[in-house]
Amino acid sequence: HSSQTRRPDDDHDHDDRATDLMQSKMQQSKIIIEEHQRRVQSDGLKCSESTEKEDALTSVIFHCNLPGPLNTELEFNCREPSCGALEAKEKAVELTDEDYTVDPNFFDDGYALAGATGFKVWTGSRLMIETLAWPQNDDCEGLKEIQ
């Protein structure tokens, strides 16, 4: 039967490995967000939010224009403001406590809180609209085919 004795260096080695792992993860994350790897924001794409009240219920309308001469606009009727889908210069709404209401489907059979996230525009929604509706010259051939 052998007994193991912890040496002070063991903790130091563990800390070094943890630090190395964390730096490696940060480096991997940095690669994902490096500017040269991002798709350039489409010139002319504009999004915003507005509110609409009907029977004391407040809805948030997410607006997103489409390219072309017809000035077509997509509108998403949501219960809450978008989450990360607007650029800093785009108009966002701020709801007051009175604007929030209980989800009308909350007491329905089979209601799941996860379903409530479908009533909000997320970052990926804007990205999808921009990628599919706003073609760019340097888009890959596969994407151009889908567009």
Side-chain angles (χ1 to χ4, degrees), residues 80-105:
E80 297 178 19
S82 62
C83 183
L86 294 174
E87 298 290 332
K89 64 188 178 294
E90 296 174 329
K91 181 184 173 223
V93 298
E94 289 185 33
L95 298 182
T96 64
D97 288 343
E98 292 80 38
D99 292 325
Y100 286 96
T101 58
V102 174
D103 186 335
N105 303 314

PDB file of all heavy atoms in Angstrom, residues 80-105:
ATOM      1  N   GLU A  80     -42.172  40.812 -27.086  1.00  0.00           N
ATOM      2  CA  GLU A  80     -41.095  41.496 -26.370  1.00  0.00           C
ATOM      3  C   GLU A  80     -40.109  42.082 -27.373  1.00  0.00           C
ATOM      4  O   GLU A  80     -40.074  41.667 -28.530  1.00  0.00           O
ATOM      5  CB  GLU A  80     -40.341  40.502 -25.477  1.00  0.00           C
ATOM      6  CG  GLU A  80     -41.175  39.893 -24.391  1.00  0.00           C
ATOM      7  CD  GLU A  80     -40.378  38.884 -23.564  1.00  0.00           C
ATOM      8  OE1 GLU A  80     -39.140  38.924 -23.594  1.00  0.00           O
ATOM      9  OE2 GLU A  80     -41.010  38.056 -22.894  1.00  0.00           O
ATOM     10  N   PRO A  81     -39.289  43.029 -26.920  1.00  0.00           N
ATOM     11  CA  PRO A  81     -38.241  43.556 -27.802  1.00  0.00           C
ATOM     12  C   PRO A  81     -37.295  42.449 -28.251  1.00  0.00           C
ATOM     13  O   PRO A  81     -37.180  41.405 -27.604  1.00  0.00           O
ATOM     14  CB  PRO A  81     -37.508  44.566 -26.913  1.00  0.00           C
ATOM     15  CG  PRO A  81     -38.488  44.931 -25.858  1.00  0.00           C
ATOM     16  CD  PRO A  81     -39.317  43.692 -25.631  1.00  0.00           C
ATOM     17  N   SER A  82     -36.625  42.686 -29.356  1.00  0.00           N
ATOM     18  CA  SER A  82     -35.685  41.706 -29.892  1.00  0.00           C
ATOM     19  C   SER A  82     -34.516  41.511 -28.930  1.00  0.00           C
ATOM     20  O   SER A  82     -34.312  42.294 -28.011  1.00  0.00           O
ATOM     21  CB  SER A  82     -35.175  42.157 -31.257  1.00  0.00           C
ATOM     22  OG  SER A  82     -34.483  43.389 -31.139  1.00  0.00           O
ATOM     23  N   CYS A  83     -33.763  40.467 -29.170  1.00  0.00           N
ATOM     24  CA  CYS A  83     -32.619  40.148 -28.314  1.00  0.00           C
ATOM     25  C   CYS A  83     -31.360  40.102 -29.181  1.00  0.00           C
ATOM     26  O   CYS A  83     -31.112  39.128 -29.865  1.00  0.00           O
ATOM     27  CB  CYS A  83     -32.852  38.799 -27.628  1.00  0.00           C
ATOM     28  SG  CYS A  83     -31.552  38.353 -26.488  1.00  0.00           S
ATOM     29  N   GLY A  84     -30.616  41.197 -29.195  1.00  0.00           N
ATOM     30  CA  GLY A  84     -29.372  41.239 -29.946  1.00  0.00           C
ATOM     31  C   GLY A  84     -29.524  41.363 -31.443  1.00  0.00           C
ATOM     32  O   GLY A  84     -28.565  41.158 -32.175  1.00  0.00           O
ATOM     33  N   ALA A  85     -30.713  41.705 -31.929  1.00  0.00           N
ATOM     34  CA  ALA A  85     -30.938  41.747 -33.375  1.00  0.00           C
ATOM     35  C   ALA A  85     -30.780  43.139 -33.973  1.00  0.00           C
ATOM     36  O   ALA A  85     -30.806  43.286 -35.185  1.00  0.00           O
ATOM     37  CB  ALA A  85     -32.334  41.214 -33.697  1.00  0.00           C
ATOM     38  N   LEU A  86     -30.627  44.147 -33.146  1.00  0.00           N
ATOM     39  CA  LEU A  86     -30.492  45.513 -33.653  1.00  0.00           C
ATOM     40  C   LEU A  86     -29.058  45.998 -33.498  1.00  0.00           C
ATOM     41  O   LEU A  86     -28.380  45.681 -32.523  1.00  0.00           O
ATOM     42  CB  LEU A  86     -31.423  46.465 -32.897  1.00  0.00           C
ATOM     43  CG  LEU A  86     -32.920  46.237 -33.094  1.00  0.00           C
ATOM     44  CD1 LEU A  86     -33.722  47.144 -32.181  1.00  0.00           C
ATOM     45  CD2 LEU A  86     -33.315  46.456 -34.541  1.00  0.00           C
ATOM     46  N   GLU A  87     -28.617  46.785 -34.464  1.00  0.00           N
ATOM     47  CA  GLU A  87     -27.320  47.447 -34.360  1.00  0.00           C
ATOM     48  C   GLU A  87     -27.485  48.655 -33.451  1.00  0.00           C
ATOM     49  O   GLU A  87     -28.607  49.132 -33.232  1.00  0.00           O
ATOM     50  CB  GLU A  87     -26.843  47.886 -35.754  1.00  0.00           C
ATOM     51  CG  GLU A  87     -26.623  46.752 -36.729  1.00  0.00           C
ATOM     52  CD  GLU A  87     -25.413  45.902 -36.383  1.00  0.00           C
ATOM     53  OE1 GLU A  87     -24.463  46.424 -35.769  1.00  0.00           O
ATOM     54  OE2 GLU A  87     -25.419  44.708 -36.726  1.00  0.00           O
ATOM     55  N   ALA A  88     -26.402  49.166 -32.932  1.00  0.00           N
ATOM     56  CA  ALA A  88     -26.442  50.265 -31.965  1.00  0.00           C
ATOM     57  C   ALA A  88     -27.191  51.493 -32.487  1.00  0.00           C
ATOM     58  O   ALA A  88     -27.887  52.168 -31.733  1.00  0.00           O
ATOM     59  CB  ALA A  88     -25.021  50.647 -31.557  1.00  0.00           C
ATOM     60  N   LYS A  89     -27.099  51.764 -33.776  1.00  0.00           N
ATOM     61  CA  LYS A  89     -27.725  52.972 -34.341  1.00  0.00           C
ATOM     62  C   LYS A  89     -29.198  52.776 -34.708  1.00  0.00           C
ATOM     63  O   LYS A  89     -29.861  53.714 -35.126  1.00  0.00           O
ATOM     64  CB  LYS A  89     -26.924  53.437 -35.554  1.00  0.00           C
ATOM     65  CG  LYS A  89     -26.930  52.449 -36.700  1.00  0.00           C
ATOM     66  CD  LYS A  89     -25.982  52.859 -37.807  1.00  0.00           C
ATOM     67  CE  LYS A  89     -25.930  51.869 -38.928  1.00  0.00           C
ATOM     68  NZ  LYS A  89     -25.384  50.573 -38.610  1.00  0.00           N
ATOM     69  N   GLU A  90     -29.728  51.573 -34.564  1.00  0.00           N
ATOM     70  CA  GLU A  90     -31.113  51.292 -34.959  1.00  0.00           C
ATOM     71  C   GLU A  90     -32.062  51.480 -33.779  1.00  0.00           C
ATOM     72  O   GLU A  90     -31.711  51.211 -32.637  1.00  0.00           O
ATOM     73  CB  GLU A  90     -31.213  49.878 -35.529  1.00  0.00           C
ATOM     74  CG  GLU A  90     -30.406  49.745 -36.817  1.00  0.00           C
ATOM     75  CD  GLU A  90     -30.337  48.329 -37.351  1.00  0.00           C
ATOM     76  OE1 GLU A  90     -30.373  47.369 -36.562  1.00  0.00           O
ATOM     77  OE2 GLU A  90     -30.237  48.195 -38.571  1.00  0.00           O
ATOM     78  N   LYS A  91     -33.267  51.929 -34.090  1.00  0.00           N
ATOM     79  CA  LYS A  91     -34.249  52.268 -33.063  1.00  0.00           C
ATOM     80  C   LYS A  91     -34.796  51.013 -32.375  1.00  0.00           C
ATOM     81  O   LYS A  91     -35.357  50.123 -33.007  1.00  0.00           O
ATOM     82  CB  LYS A  91     -35.409  53.037 -33.697  1.00  0.00           C
ATOM     83  CG  LYS A  91     -36.460  53.456 -32.699  1.00  0.00           C
ATOM     84  CD  LYS A  91     -37.636  54.137 -33.371  1.00  0.00           C
ATOM     85  CE  LYS A  91     -38.710  54.376 -32.339  1.00  0.00           C
ATOM     86  NZ  LYS A  91     -40.022  54.064 -32.812  1.00  0.00           N
ATOM     87  N   ALA A  92     -34.642  50.986 -31.055  1.00  0.00           N
ATOM     88  CA  ALA A  92     -35.167  49.894 -30.237  1.00  0.00           C
ATOM     89  C   ALA A  92     -36.245  50.448 -29.310  1.00  0.00           C
ATOM     90  O   ALA A  92     -36.205  51.619 -28.937  1.00  0.00           O
ATOM     91  CB  ALA A  92     -34.053  49.269 -29.403  1.00  0.00           C
ATOM     92  N   VAL A  93     -37.196  49.620 -28.960  1.00  0.00           N
ATOM     93  CA  VAL A  93     -38.217  50.065 -28.001  1.00  0.00           C
ATOM     94  C   VAL A  93     -37.798  49.655 -26.592  1.00  0.00           C
ATOM     95  O   VAL A  93     -37.065  48.696 -26.403  1.00  0.00           O
ATOM     96  CB  VAL A  93     -39.621  49.485 -28.317  1.00  0.00           C
ATOM     97  CG1 VAL A  93     -40.098  49.945 -29.668  1.00  0.00           C
ATOM     98  CG2 VAL A  93     -39.637  47.989 -28.217  1.00  0.00           C
ATOM     99  N   GLU A  94     -38.288  50.406 -25.645  1.00  0.00           N
ATOM    100  CA  GLU A  94     -38.098  50.062 -24.241  1.00  0.00           C
ATOM    101  C   GLU A  94     -39.485  49.960 -23.634  1.00  0.00           C
ATOM    102  O   GLU A  94     -40.239  50.926 -23.624  1.00  0.00           O
ATOM    103  CB  GLU A  94     -37.263  51.119 -23.521  1.00  0.00           C
ATOM    104  CG  GLU A  94     -35.818  51.111 -23.944  1.00  0.00           C
ATOM    105  CD  GLU A  94     -34.973  52.076 -23.138  1.00  0.00           C
ATOM    106  OE1 GLU A  94     -35.265  52.275 -21.940  1.00  0.00           O
ATOM    107  OE2 GLU A  94     -34.027  52.625 -23.713  1.00  0.00           O
ATOM    108  N   LEU A  95     -39.817  48.792 -23.143  1.00  0.00           N
ATOM    109  CA  LEU A  95     -41.127  48.587 -22.548  1.00  0.00           C
ATOM    110  C   LEU A  95     -41.093  48.930 -21.066  1.00  0.00           C
ATOM    111  O   LEU A  95     -40.090  48.737 -20.394  1.00  0.00           O
ATOM    112  CB  LEU A  95     -41.573  47.137 -22.729  1.00  0.00           C
ATOM    113  CG  LEU A  95     -41.740  46.648 -24.172  1.00  0.00           C
ATOM    114  CD1 LEU A  95     -42.227  45.203 -24.182  1.00  0.00           C
ATOM    115  CD2 LEU A  95     -42.675  47.537 -24.958  1.00  0.00           C
ATOM    116  N   THR A  96     -42.223  49.415 -20.586  1.00  0.00           N
ATOM    117  CA  THR A  96     -42.369  49.672 -19.155  1.00  0.00           C
ATOM    118  C   THR A  96     -42.973  48.428 -18.512  1.00  0.00           C
ATOM    119  O   THR A  96     -43.430  47.508 -19.216  1.00  0.00           O
ATOM    120  CB  THR A  96     -43.303  50.870 -18.914  1.00  0.00           C
ATOM    121  OG1 THR A  96     -44.612  50.518 -19.392  1.00  0.00           O
ATOM    122  CG2 THR A  96     -42.804  52.120 -19.636  1.00  0.00           C
ATOM    123  N   ASP A  97     -43.012  48.381 -17.210  1.00  0.00           N
ATOM    124  CA  ASP A  97     -43.620  47.250 -16.511  1.00  0.00           C
ATOM    125  C   ASP A  97     -45.081  47.065 -16.930  1.00  0.00           C
ATOM    126  O   ASP A  97     -45.567  45.943 -17.031  1.00  0.00           O
ATOM    127  CB  ASP A  97     -43.556  47.438 -14.995  1.00  0.00           C
ATOM    128  CG  ASP A  97     -42.140  47.268 -14.460  1.00  0.00           C
ATOM    129  OD1 ASP A  97     -41.298  46.693 -15.184  1.00  0.00           O
ATOM    130  OD2 ASP A  97     -41.889  47.703 -13.321  1.00  0.00           O
ATOM    131  N   GLU A  98     -45.776  48.165 -17.209  1.00  0.00           N
ATOM    132  CA  GLU A  98     -47.187  48.091 -17.611  1.00  0.00           C
ATOM    133  C   GLU A  98     -47.359  47.470 -18.998  1.00  0.00           C
ATOM    134  O   GLU A  98     -48.423  46.958 -19.324  1.00  0.00           O
ATOM    135  CB  GLU A  98     -47.838  49.485 -17.591  1.00  0.00           C
ATOM    136  CG  GLU A  98     -47.993  50.092 -16.217  1.00  0.00           C
ATOM    137  CD  GLU A  98     -46.694  50.726 -15.700  1.00  0.00           C
ATOM    138  OE1 GLU A  98     -45.946  51.346 -16.498  1.00  0.00           O
ATOM    139  OE2 GLU A  98     -46.416  50.574 -14.509  1.00  0.00           O
ATOM    140  N   ASP A  99     -46.321  47.542 -19.821  1.00  0.00           N
ATOM    141  CA  ASP A  99     -46.400  46.992 -21.179  1.00  0.00           C
ATOM    142  C   ASP A  99     -46.339  45.469 -21.204  1.00  0.00           C
ATOM    143  O   ASP A  99     -46.794  44.842 -22.149  1.00  0.00           O
ATOM    144  CB  ASP A  99     -45.265  47.543 -22.055  1.00  0.00           C
ATOM    145  CG  ASP A  99     -45.421  49.026 -22.330  1.00  0.00           C
ATOM    146  OD1 ASP A  99     -46.565  49.484 -22.460  1.00  0.00           O
ATOM    147  OD2 ASP A  99     -44.389  49.712 -22.411  1.00  0.00           O
ATOM    148  N   TYR A 100     -45.721  44.883 -20.182  1.00  0.00           N
ATOM    149  CA  TYR A 100     -45.599  43.424 -20.126  1.00  0.00           C
ATOM    150  C   TYR A 100     -46.895  42.822 -19.595  1.00  0.00           C
ATOM    151  O   TYR A 100     -47.498  43.351 -18.668  1.00  0.00           O
ATOM    152  CB  TYR A 100     -44.430  42.997 -19.235  1.00  0.00           C
ATOM    153  CG  TYR A 100     -43.084  43.235 -19.868  1.00  0.00           C
ATOM    154  CD1 TYR A 100     -42.358  44.380 -19.580  1.00  0.00           C
ATOM    155  CD2 TYR A 100     -42.553  42.321 -20.771  1.00  0.00           C
ATOM    156  CE1 TYR A 100     -41.123  44.607 -20.165  1.00  0.00           C
ATOM    157  CE2 TYR A 100     -41.325  42.546 -21.366  1.00  0.00           C
ATOM    158  CZ  TYR A 100     -40.618  43.682 -21.046  1.00  0.00           C
ATOM    159  OH  TYR A 100     -39.395  43.906 -21.639  1.00  0.00           O
ATOM    160  N   THR A 101     -47.322  41.731 -20.198  1.00  0.00           N
ATOM    161  CA  THR A 101     -48.533  41.041 -19.747  1.00  0.00           C
ATOM    162  C   THR A 101     -48.241  39.557 -19.616  1.00  0.00           C
ATOM    163  O   THR A 101     -47.236  39.059 -20.103  1.00  0.00           O
ATOM    164  CB  THR A 101     -49.687  41.229 -20.763  1.00  0.00           C
ATOM    165  OG1 THR A 101     -49.269  40.727 -22.022  1.00  0.00           O
ATOM    166  CG2 THR A 101     -50.089  42.685 -20.887  1.00  0.00           C
ATOM    167  N   VAL A 102     -49.162  38.858 -18.972  1.00  0.00           N
ATOM    168  CA  VAL A 102     -49.035  37.410 -18.871  1.00  0.00           C
ATOM    169  C   VAL A 102     -49.241  36.811 -20.258  1.00  0.00           C
ATOM    170  O   VAL A 102     -50.131  37.229 -20.996  1.00  0.00           O
ATOM    171  CB  VAL A 102     -50.082  36.839 -17.878  1.00  0.00           C
ATOM    172  CG1 VAL A 102     -50.061  35.320 -17.883  1.00  0.00           C
ATOM    173  CG2 VAL A 102     -49.840  37.377 -16.485  1.00  0.00           C
ATOM    174  N   ASP A 103     -48.406  35.868 -20.601  1.00  0.00           N
ATOM    175  CA  ASP A 103     -48.527  35.176 -21.885  1.00  0.00           C
ATOM    176  C   ASP A 103     -49.937  34.609 -22.000  1.00  0.00           C
ATOM    177  O   ASP A 103     -50.371  33.835 -21.146  1.00  0.00           O
ATOM    178  CB  ASP A 103     -47.484  34.054 -21.939  1.00  0.00           C
ATOM    179  CG  ASP A 103     -47.424  33.354 -23.272  1.00  0.00           C
ATOM    180  OD1 ASP A 103     -48.431  33.362 -24.014  1.00  0.00           O
ATOM    181  OD2 ASP A 103     -46.377  32.773 -23.566  1.00  0.00           O
ATOM    182  N   PRO A 104     -50.707  34.975 -23.037  1.00  0.00           N
ATOM    183  CA  PRO A 104     -52.088  34.499 -23.159  1.00  0.00           C
ATOM    184  C   PRO A 104     -52.193  32.976 -23.275  1.00  0.00           C
ATOM    185  O   PRO A 104     -53.247  32.408 -23.018  1.00  0.00           O
ATOM    186  CB  PRO A 104     -52.613  35.179 -24.418  1.00  0.00           C
ATOM    187  CG  PRO A 104     -51.470  35.834 -25.066  1.00  0.00           C
ATOM    188  CD  PRO A 104     -50.322  35.865 -24.114  1.00  0.00           C
ATOM    189  N   ASN A 105     -51.126  32.301 -23.658  1.00  0.00           N
ATOM    190  CA  ASN A 105     -51.133  30.842 -23.775  1.00  0.00           C
ATOM    191  C   ASN A 105     -50.641  30.147 -22.510  1.00  0.00           C
ATOM    192  O   ASN A 105     -50.559  28.923 -22.476  1.00  0.00           O
ATOM    193  CB  ASN A 105     -50.249  30.410 -24.955  1.00  0.00           C
ATOM    194  CG  ASN A 105     -50.701  31.043 -26.250  1.00  0.00           C
ATOM    195  OD1 ASN A 105     -51.881  31.064 -26.564  1.00  0.00           O
ATOM    196  ND2 ASN A 105     -49.770  31.592 -26.997  1.00  0.00           N
TER     197      ASN A 105
END
